[in-house]
Amino acid sequence: MADKIRIKDIALRAGVSVGTVDRVLHDRPNVSPKARVKVEKALEEMNYQPNMYASALAYNRSYMFQVLIPAHEQVAYWEEIEEGVKMAQEACRDFHIKANIIYYERFDDESFREAARKCLDSKPDGVVIVPADLDITRQFTDRMHDLGIPFVMLDSYMPDLKPLAFFGQDSFSSGYFAARMLMLIAGNETEIVLLRITKNGRVLSKQQDNREVGFRHYMHDHFPHVRILNLELPIGQSRQLNDSMLETFFAENPNIHHGITFGSKAHVMGDFLLRTNRRNVQIMGYDMVGKNAECLRQGSISFLIAQHAYQQGYCCIDALFKAIVLKKKVHPVNYMPIELLSKENVDFYRRTQL
């Protein structure tokens, strides 16, 4: 078998010394072009497949990966990403992998720049990044390209920045799918509500923007007569203020029975609907957040779309490990499953353990 081929067997086949073979295998200097050709020819003829794990262990060096993500307050999506990162680090512990998390404030350009500076000052071997604004992110990724630091993108895909890999949902397809599922139960409606949780008038991620684009494409193609009403609730405001805005909205729009939000806070409206006993209204949302799951069980949330956040966090670190430590090629675009949860199957949903 290929993994039982010994260095001295290769040396004998190539007609060179064992030391020369070792230098070629580990890409070390002081090998003549003629000898290198002989060794490479022998490797090809013998179908030699190096044991990358053993080779990486033999180097006995440590690796630092930095993970830049938005600051958050117990948001299940980000917490599961962090847990996936930690589990991937644990799985690679024999290779002395350290994955450190750096937080930045969303929509705060200087916060992102400071996180980027902190990251680069640590001289990381690889980086996982949840991107901010395209131009701001490009400044950071251009610098990483200059320094030869591989990076993986998480949550939002910006192919122009040429990451090593991306892990996350196809946001447009996710929004398109969400519209199709929503209209299975809202096909007879003339109006629906689109709830946006915003900060300074902006939704919380580029991913949510792309989901809305996909959603509106489906609605334009298949339900052009349905009016989509926008409702914005600023993030972090009190439940009393949310309730007041929601009460006003439903008083002014009594024909609304279904809606959607493209983030993890469907429970903000779902809980309001339960407390005010509006049993004829439902909202659809994203993420297996505990409060979302409870509203789903009680009927104020119609469906949730799961994102496999734990798997995303794990796979990002695993991709850096394979590319940097094991010198393997990784798949550049990795879309996560788009899974629909209802009250009938929510209790059977489990994150993917890798």
Side-chain angles (χ1 to χ4, degrees), residues 208-229:
Q208 292 184 40
D209 277 333
N210 290 339
R211 288 171 183 165
E212 181 174 337
V213 172
F215 180 88
R216 289 186 179 276
H217 266 263
Y218 181 89
M219 296 300 294
H220 178 270
D221 291 345
H222 300 279
F223 291 89
H225 63 281
V226 175
R227 185 181 175 209
I228 301 174
L229 304 180

PDB file of all heavy atoms in Angstrom, residues 208-229:
ATOM      1  N   GLN A 208     -28.822  39.083   5.800  1.00  0.00           N
ATOM      2  CA  GLN A 208     -30.259  39.366   5.881  1.00  0.00           C
ATOM      3  C   GLN A 208     -30.727  40.184   4.672  1.00  0.00           C
ATOM      4  O   GLN A 208     -31.825  39.967   4.164  1.00  0.00           O
ATOM      5  CB  GLN A 208     -30.573  40.097   7.187  1.00  0.00           C
ATOM      6  CG  GLN A 208     -30.388  39.229   8.425  1.00  0.00           C
ATOM      7  CD  GLN A 208     -30.791  39.939   9.697  1.00  0.00           C
ATOM      8  OE1 GLN A 208     -31.785  40.669   9.736  1.00  0.00           O
ATOM      9  NE2 GLN A 208     -30.016  39.740  10.753  1.00  0.00           N
ATOM     10  N   ASP A 209     -29.891  41.097   4.225  1.00  0.00           N
ATOM     11  CA  ASP A 209     -30.225  41.857   3.007  1.00  0.00           C
ATOM     12  C   ASP A 209     -30.421  40.915   1.823  1.00  0.00           C
ATOM     13  O   ASP A 209     -31.377  41.045   1.051  1.00  0.00           O
ATOM     14  CB  ASP A 209     -29.106  42.842   2.676  1.00  0.00           C
ATOM     15  CG  ASP A 209     -29.208  44.137   3.469  1.00  0.00           C
ATOM     16  OD1 ASP A 209     -30.332  44.491   3.858  1.00  0.00           O
ATOM     17  OD2 ASP A 209     -28.175  44.777   3.694  1.00  0.00           O
ATOM     18  N   ASN A 210     -29.498  39.965   1.667  1.00  0.00           N
ATOM     19  CA  ASN A 210     -29.569  39.034   0.539  1.00  0.00           C
ATOM     20  C   ASN A 210     -30.781  38.112   0.641  1.00  0.00           C
ATOM     21  O   ASN A 210     -31.379  37.738  -0.376  1.00  0.00           O
ATOM     22  CB  ASN A 210     -28.293  38.205   0.462  1.00  0.00           C
ATOM     23  CG  ASN A 210     -27.093  39.031   0.045  1.00  0.00           C
ATOM     24  OD1 ASN A 210     -27.241  40.092  -0.552  1.00  0.00           O
ATOM     25  ND2 ASN A 210     -25.900  38.564   0.369  1.00  0.00           N
ATOM     26  N   ARG A 211     -31.135  37.717   1.856  1.00  0.00           N
ATOM     27  CA  ARG A 211     -32.335  36.902   2.029  1.00  0.00           C
ATOM     28  C   ARG A 211     -33.576  37.673   1.578  1.00  0.00           C
ATOM     29  O   ARG A 211     -34.455  37.117   0.931  1.00  0.00           O
ATOM     30  CB  ARG A 211     -32.495  36.498   3.501  1.00  0.00           C
ATOM     31  CG  ARG A 211     -31.513  35.467   3.987  1.00  0.00           C
ATOM     32  CD  ARG A 211     -31.623  35.300   5.494  1.00  0.00           C
ATOM     33  NE  ARG A 211     -30.638  34.371   6.009  1.00  0.00           N
ATOM     34  CZ  ARG A 211     -30.311  34.256   7.287  1.00  0.00           C
ATOM     35  NH1 ARG A 211     -30.896  35.046   8.189  1.00  0.00           N
ATOM     36  NH2 ARG A 211     -29.401  33.384   7.677  1.00  0.00           N
ATOM     37  N   GLU A 212     -33.614  38.946   1.930  1.00  0.00           N
ATOM     38  CA  GLU A 212     -34.769  39.755   1.529  1.00  0.00           C
ATOM     39  C   GLU A 212     -34.849  39.876   0.009  1.00  0.00           C
ATOM     40  O   GLU A 212     -35.944  39.836  -0.568  1.00  0.00           O
ATOM     41  CB  GLU A 212     -34.701  41.138   2.163  1.00  0.00           C
ATOM     42  CG  GLU A 212     -35.900  41.999   1.797  1.00  0.00           C
ATOM     43  CD  GLU A 212     -35.937  43.333   2.524  1.00  0.00           C
ATOM     44  OE1 GLU A 212     -35.318  43.449   3.608  1.00  0.00           O
ATOM     45  OE2 GLU A 212     -36.593  44.269   2.000  1.00  0.00           O
ATOM     46  N   VAL A 213     -33.694  40.002  -0.643  1.00  0.00           N
ATOM     47  CA  VAL A 213     -33.685  40.068  -2.110  1.00  0.00           C
ATOM     48  C   VAL A 213     -34.272  38.792  -2.694  1.00  0.00           C
ATOM     49  O   VAL A 213     -35.123  38.823  -3.597  1.00  0.00           O
ATOM     50  CB  VAL A 213     -32.251  40.292  -2.646  1.00  0.00           C
ATOM     51  CG1 VAL A 213     -32.232  40.168  -4.169  1.00  0.00           C
ATOM     52  CG2 VAL A 213     -31.740  41.666  -2.237  1.00  0.00           C
ATOM     53  N   GLY A 214     -33.833  37.629  -2.182  1.00  0.00           N
ATOM     54  CA  GLY A 214     -34.371  36.354  -2.656  1.00  0.00           C
ATOM     55  C   GLY A 214     -35.852  36.233  -2.399  1.00  0.00           C
ATOM     56  O   GLY A 214     -36.623  35.764  -3.257  1.00  0.00           O
ATOM     57  N   PHE A 215     -36.282  36.677  -1.216  1.00  0.00           N
ATOM     58  CA  PHE A 215     -37.702  36.642  -0.842  1.00  0.00           C
ATOM     59  C   PHE A 215     -38.538  37.477  -1.816  1.00  0.00           C
ATOM     60  O   PHE A 215     -39.569  37.022  -2.329  1.00  0.00           O
ATOM     61  CB  PHE A 215     -37.850  37.165   0.581  1.00  0.00           C
ATOM     62  CG  PHE A 215     -39.264  37.184   1.088  1.00  0.00           C
ATOM     63  CD1 PHE A 215     -39.804  36.073   1.710  1.00  0.00           C
ATOM     64  CD2 PHE A 215     -40.050  38.324   0.949  1.00  0.00           C
ATOM     65  CE1 PHE A 215     -41.123  36.093   2.187  1.00  0.00           C
ATOM     66  CE2 PHE A 215     -41.349  38.348   1.421  1.00  0.00           C
ATOM     67  CZ  PHE A 215     -41.890  37.228   2.035  1.00  0.00           C
ATOM     68  N   ARG A 216     -38.072  38.677  -2.078  1.00  0.00           N
ATOM     69  CA  ARG A 216     -38.837  39.581  -2.945  1.00  0.00           C
ATOM     70  C   ARG A 216     -38.853  39.087  -4.392  1.00  0.00           C
ATOM     71  O   ARG A 216     -39.838  39.311  -5.109  1.00  0.00           O
ATOM     72  CB  ARG A 216     -38.275  41.000  -2.846  1.00  0.00           C
ATOM     73  CG  ARG A 216     -38.575  41.667  -1.505  1.00  0.00           C
ATOM     74  CD  ARG A 216     -38.127  43.119  -1.483  1.00  0.00           C
ATOM     75  NE  ARG A 216     -38.423  43.774  -0.224  1.00  0.00           N
ATOM     76  CZ  ARG A 216     -39.597  44.332   0.105  1.00  0.00           C
ATOM     77  NH1 ARG A 216     -40.602  44.312  -0.776  1.00  0.00           N
ATOM     78  NH2 ARG A 216     -39.776  44.911   1.270  1.00  0.00           N
ATOM     79  N   HIS A 217     -37.790  38.424  -4.812  1.00  0.00           N
ATOM     80  CA  HIS A 217     -37.794  37.845  -6.151  1.00  0.00           C
ATOM     81  C   HIS A 217     -38.900  36.808  -6.286  1.00  0.00           C
ATOM     82  O   HIS A 217     -39.627  36.780  -7.286  1.00  0.00           O
ATOM     83  CB  HIS A 217     -36.435  37.210  -6.464  1.00  0.00           C
ATOM     84  CG  HIS A 217     -35.493  38.121  -7.179  1.00  0.00           C
ATOM     85  ND1 HIS A 217     -35.331  38.109  -8.546  1.00  0.00           N
ATOM     86  CD2 HIS A 217     -34.670  39.097  -6.709  1.00  0.00           C
ATOM     87  CE1 HIS A 217     -34.447  39.025  -8.890  1.00  0.00           C
ATOM     88  NE2 HIS A 217     -34.029  39.643  -7.802  1.00  0.00           N
ATOM     89  N   TYR A 218     -39.021  35.943  -5.285  1.00  0.00           N
ATOM     90  CA  TYR A 218     -40.072  34.929  -5.342  1.00  0.00           C
ATOM     91  C   TYR A 218     -41.455  35.581  -5.343  1.00  0.00           C
ATOM     92  O   TYR A 218     -42.335  35.201  -6.125  1.00  0.00           O
ATOM     93  CB  TYR A 218     -39.959  33.964  -4.167  1.00  0.00           C
ATOM     94  CG  TYR A 218     -41.016  32.880  -4.201  1.00  0.00           C
ATOM     95  CD1 TYR A 218     -40.790  31.685  -4.885  1.00  0.00           C
ATOM     96  CD2 TYR A 218     -42.258  33.059  -3.586  1.00  0.00           C
ATOM     97  CE1 TYR A 218     -41.759  30.704  -4.946  1.00  0.00           C
ATOM     98  CE2 TYR A 218     -43.238  32.088  -3.647  1.00  0.00           C
ATOM     99  CZ  TYR A 218     -42.986  30.907  -4.327  1.00  0.00           C
ATOM    100  OH  TYR A 218     -43.963  29.937  -4.396  1.00  0.00           O
ATOM    101  N   MET A 219     -41.636  36.553  -4.465  1.00  0.00           N
ATOM    102  CA  MET A 219     -42.939  37.205  -4.375  1.00  0.00           C
ATOM    103  C   MET A 219     -43.278  37.931  -5.675  1.00  0.00           C
ATOM    104  O   MET A 219     -44.426  37.894  -6.126  1.00  0.00           O
ATOM    105  CB  MET A 219     -42.949  38.184  -3.197  1.00  0.00           C
ATOM    106  CG  MET A 219     -42.783  37.515  -1.835  1.00  0.00           C
ATOM    107  SD  MET A 219     -44.093  36.307  -1.455  1.00  0.00           S
ATOM    108  CE  MET A 219     -45.517  37.404  -1.338  1.00  0.00           C
ATOM    109  N   HIS A 220     -42.298  38.578  -6.277  1.00  0.00           N
ATOM    110  CA  HIS A 220     -42.527  39.271  -7.543  1.00  0.00           C
ATOM    111  C   HIS A 220     -42.928  38.297  -8.644  1.00  0.00           C
ATOM    112  O   HIS A 220     -43.825  38.574  -9.456  1.00  0.00           O
ATOM    113  CB  HIS A 220     -41.265  40.026  -7.957  1.00  0.00           C
ATOM    114  CG  HIS A 220     -41.373  40.728  -9.276  1.00  0.00           C
ATOM    115  ND1 HIS A 220     -41.028  40.123 -10.485  1.00  0.00           N
ATOM    116  CD2 HIS A 220     -41.799  41.988  -9.602  1.00  0.00           C
ATOM    117  CE1 HIS A 220     -41.246  40.965 -11.464  1.00  0.00           C
ATOM    118  NE2 HIS A 220     -41.703  42.107 -10.968  1.00  0.00           N
ATOM    119  N   ASP A 221     -42.282  37.121  -8.659  1.00  0.00           N
ATOM    120  CA  ASP A 221     -42.541  36.147  -9.719  1.00  0.00           C
ATOM    121  C   ASP A 221     -43.859  35.395  -9.532  1.00  0.00           C
ATOM    122  O   ASP A 221     -44.519  35.043 -10.511  1.00  0.00           O
ATOM    123  CB  ASP A 221     -41.399  35.122  -9.785  1.00  0.00           C
ATOM    124  CG  ASP A 221     -40.100  35.738 -10.283  1.00  0.00           C
ATOM    125  OD1 ASP A 221     -40.145  36.849 -10.842  1.00  0.00           O
ATOM    126  OD2 ASP A 221     -39.040  35.113 -10.089  1.00  0.00           O
ATOM    127  N   HIS A 222     -44.229  35.139  -8.273  1.00  0.00           N
ATOM    128  CA  HIS A 222     -45.354  34.227  -8.031  1.00  0.00           C
ATOM    129  C   HIS A 222     -46.550  34.878  -7.324  1.00  0.00           C
ATOM    130  O   HIS A 222     -47.674  34.387  -7.462  1.00  0.00           O
ATOM    131  CB  HIS A 222     -44.874  33.029  -7.200  1.00  0.00           C
ATOM    132  CG  HIS A 222     -43.794  32.239  -7.871  1.00  0.00           C
ATOM    133  ND1 HIS A 222     -44.070  31.303  -8.847  1.00  0.00           N
ATOM    134  CD2 HIS A 222     -42.445  32.253  -7.727  1.00  0.00           C
ATOM    135  CE1 HIS A 222     -42.929  30.762  -9.266  1.00  0.00           C
ATOM    136  NE2 HIS A 222     -41.933  31.321  -8.613  1.00  0.00           N
ATOM    137  N   PHE A 223     -46.326  35.930  -6.542  1.00  0.00           N
ATOM    138  CA  PHE A 223     -47.426  36.588  -5.831  1.00  0.00           C
ATOM    139  C   PHE A 223     -47.299  38.103  -5.959  1.00  0.00           C
ATOM    140  O   PHE A 223     -47.210  38.820  -4.953  1.00  0.00           O
ATOM    141  CB  PHE A 223     -47.423  36.171  -4.350  1.00  0.00           C
ATOM    142  CG  PHE A 223     -47.800  34.729  -4.120  1.00  0.00           C
ATOM    143  CD1 PHE A 223     -46.811  33.750  -4.118  1.00  0.00           C
ATOM    144  CD2 PHE A 223     -49.120  34.351  -3.923  1.00  0.00           C
ATOM    145  CE1 PHE A 223     -47.147  32.416  -3.916  1.00  0.00           C
ATOM    146  CE2 PHE A 223     -49.465  33.028  -3.712  1.00  0.00           C
ATOM    147  CZ  PHE A 223     -48.477  32.053  -3.721  1.00  0.00           C
ATOM    148  N   PRO A 224     -47.302  38.605  -7.183  1.00  0.00           N
ATOM    149  CA  PRO A 224     -47.089  40.051  -7.373  1.00  0.00           C
ATOM    150  C   PRO A 224     -48.204  40.903  -6.783  1.00  0.00           C
ATOM    151  O   PRO A 224     -47.986  42.098  -6.525  1.00  0.00           O
ATOM    152  CB  PRO A 224     -47.029  40.195  -8.892  1.00  0.00           C
ATOM    153  CG  PRO A 224     -47.787  39.018  -9.430  1.00  0.00           C
ATOM    154  CD  PRO A 224     -47.502  37.901  -8.470  1.00  0.00           C
ATOM    155  N   HIS A 225     -49.363  40.313  -6.542  1.00  0.00           N
ATOM    156  CA  HIS A 225     -50.495  41.074  -6.023  1.00  0.00           C
ATOM    157  C   HIS A 225     -50.444  41.246  -4.509  1.00  0.00           C
ATOM    158  O   HIS A 225     -51.189  42.061  -3.948  1.00  0.00           O
ATOM    159  CB  HIS A 225     -51.800  40.372  -6.391  1.00  0.00           C
ATOM    160  CG  HIS A 225     -51.934  39.005  -5.787  1.00  0.00           C
ATOM    161  ND1 HIS A 225     -51.282  37.904  -6.317  1.00  0.00           N
ATOM    162  CD2 HIS A 225     -52.613  38.574  -4.682  1.00  0.00           C
ATOM    163  CE1 HIS A 225     -51.579  36.844  -5.575  1.00  0.00           C
ATOM    164  NE2 HIS A 225     -52.371  37.232  -4.585  1.00  0.00           N
ATOM    165  N   VAL A 226     -49.583  40.488  -3.842  1.00  0.00           N
ATOM    166  CA  VAL A 226     -49.519  40.563  -2.383  1.00  0.00           C
ATOM    167  C   VAL A 226     -48.676  41.768  -1.966  1.00  0.00           C
ATOM    168  O   VAL A 226     -47.527  41.921  -2.381  1.00  0.00           O
ATOM    169  CB  VAL A 226     -48.926  39.272  -1.782  1.00  0.00           C
ATOM    170  CG1 VAL A 226     -48.753  39.424  -0.267  1.00  0.00           C
ATOM    171  CG2 VAL A 226     -49.818  38.088  -2.095  1.00  0.00           C
ATOM    172  N   ARG A 227     -49.256  42.595  -1.138  1.00  0.00           N
ATOM    173  CA  ARG A 227     -48.574  43.796  -0.662  1.00  0.00           C
ATOM    174  C   ARG A 227     -47.675  43.442   0.532  1.00  0.00           C
ATOM    175  O   ARG A 227     -48.119  42.772   1.473  1.00  0.00           O
ATOM    176  CB  ARG A 227     -49.615  44.836  -0.247  1.00  0.00           C
ATOM    177  CG  ARG A 227     -49.051  46.182   0.163  1.00  0.00           C
ATOM    178  CD  ARG A 227     -50.187  47.107   0.562  1.00  0.00           C
ATOM    179  NE  ARG A 227     -49.677  48.372   1.085  1.00  0.00           N
ATOM    180  CZ  ARG A 227     -50.322  49.105   1.981  1.00  0.00           C
ATOM    181  NH1 ARG A 227     -51.508  48.703   2.457  1.00  0.00           N
ATOM    182  NH2 ARG A 227     -49.816  50.250   2.406  1.00  0.00           N
ATOM    183  N   ILE A 228     -46.404  43.875   0.482  1.00  0.00           N
ATOM    184  CA  ILE A 228     -45.463  43.606   1.567  1.00  0.00           C
ATOM    185  C   ILE A 228     -45.281  44.890   2.369  1.00  0.00           C
ATOM    186  O   ILE A 228     -44.775  45.898   1.865  1.00  0.00           O
ATOM    187  CB  ILE A 228     -44.101  43.126   1.021  1.00  0.00           C
ATOM    188  CG1 ILE A 228     -44.288  41.852   0.193  1.00  0.00           C
ATOM    189  CG2 ILE A 228     -43.119  42.876   2.165  1.00  0.00           C
ATOM    190  CD1 ILE A 228     -43.018  41.389  -0.516  1.00  0.00           C
ATOM    191  N   LEU A 229     -45.726  44.861   3.635  1.00  0.00           N
ATOM    192  CA  LEU A 229     -45.609  46.024   4.511  1.00  0.00           C
ATOM    193  C   LEU A 229     -44.356  45.897   5.368  1.00  0.00           C
ATOM    194  O   LEU A 229     -44.102  44.841   5.948  1.00  0.00           O
ATOM    195  CB  LEU A 229     -46.845  46.140   5.406  1.00  0.00           C
ATOM    196  CG  LEU A 229     -48.203  46.203   4.687  1.00  0.00           C
ATOM    197  CD1 LEU A 229     -49.327  46.323   5.704  1.00  0.00           C
ATOM    198  CD2 LEU A 229     -48.239  47.384   3.723  1.00  0.00           C
TER     199      LEU A 229
END
